[in-house]
Amino acid sequence: MNQFMEEAIILSLLQDKGGPFGAVIVFEDRIISAGRNEVLALNDPTAHAEMVAIRRACRGVGHFKLDGCVLYTSCEPCPMCLSACYWANIDTIYYGCTRKDASDIGFNDEFVYEELRKPIETRGISMFQVDREDALKAFKAWESNPNRQMY
C-alpha cells in the first residue's frame, strides 16, 4: 500500500468528528498537512477531509496556492472538494473509494453534479440576480486597484 494513501485511510477510520474520510497533502514526498472529516465536530458542512487538509496546507506554506502538491484521499473528492483542489492548484489526486462507494453508504453527491448541469432557473436552490449595477462597483474598484493580486 502507498504510504501516503495509508495515512489518508488511517485518518478515515477516525470517525468521532464526522464521516469516514481522510486526506493528506504531500509536497516533495513529505506530508505537509492532513485532514479528516470534521463536519459534525465543527458544525460546518464544508469541513470535509480534503478541505481541512487544504486549509491547513495553505496556512502551513503561507500561500493560497499549492503548486507541486499531491492530494491523497480515502475517497474520490466531492464537487466542492474537487473545486477547491483546482483553486489551490493541486497537481495530482490519488483516491481510494469511488463516489459510488460513498453513495452506497449514504454519502450521495450525485445530485450536486446533476444540479450543476441544469440551467440556473431550474436548480433546487432558487437563484435570482439582483442589483447587478451596484454589485459591479466592487469589480470596477478591483480593476482599477494597482495593488490587486490575482489568484
Side-chain angles (χ1 to χ4, degrees):
M1 176 186 303
N2 176 287
Q3 67 180 0
F4 303 125
M5 183 58 76
E6 182 177 13
E7 287 297 320
I9 291 169
I10 288 169
L11 289 166
S12 74
L13 293 167
L14 302 174
Q15 300 171 15
D16 59 319
K17 293 186 175 190
F21 305 97
V24 297
I25 295 179
V26 175
F27 181 71
E28 295 180 350
D29 288 326
R30 183 176 60 85
I31 293 175
I32 63 167
S33 75
R36 60 182 169 136
N37 186 290
E38 296 185 22
V39 168
L40 299 178
L42 299 176
N43 290 318
D44 179 352
T46 70
H48 292 194
E50 298 91 339
M51 299 295 285
V52 171
I54 288 169
R55 290 174 184 142
R56 288 179 179 156
C58 289
R59 280 193 304 270
V61 301
H63 202 270
F64 55 85
K65 293 291 186 188
L66 297 174
D67 295 306
C69 289
V70 176
L71 172 71
Y72 289 83
T73 180
S74 62
C75 186
E76 180 181 354
C78 75
M80 174 184 67
C81 294
L82 182 59
S83 295
C85 290
Y86 277 104
W87 287 118
N89 280 13
I90 299 276
D91 284 2
T92 306
I93 299 171
Y94 293 96
Y95 62 93
C97 298
T98 67
R99 66 190 201 204
K100 183 184 179 322
D101 295 328
S103 177
D104 289 347
I105 62 163
F107 293 93
N108 187 354
D109 299 323
E110 202 57 41
F111 75 97
V112 178
Y113 291 102
E114 293 297 323
E115 285 291 299
L116 292 173
R117 288 185 196 98
K118 294 179 183 178
I120 288 175
E121 60 276 0
T122 65
R123 292 181 182 165
I125 295 177
S126 298
M127 295 177 64
F128 305 97
Q129 184 181 25
V130 296
D131 301 324
R132 180 175 179 264
E133 289 305 313
D134 290 327
L136 280 172
K137 291 174 187 172
F139 283 10
K140 290 175 182 171
W142 173 263
E143 273 187 317
S144 65
N145 179 352
N147 298 319
R148 72 181 182 265
Q149 182 181 356
M150 292 305 297
Y151 53 91

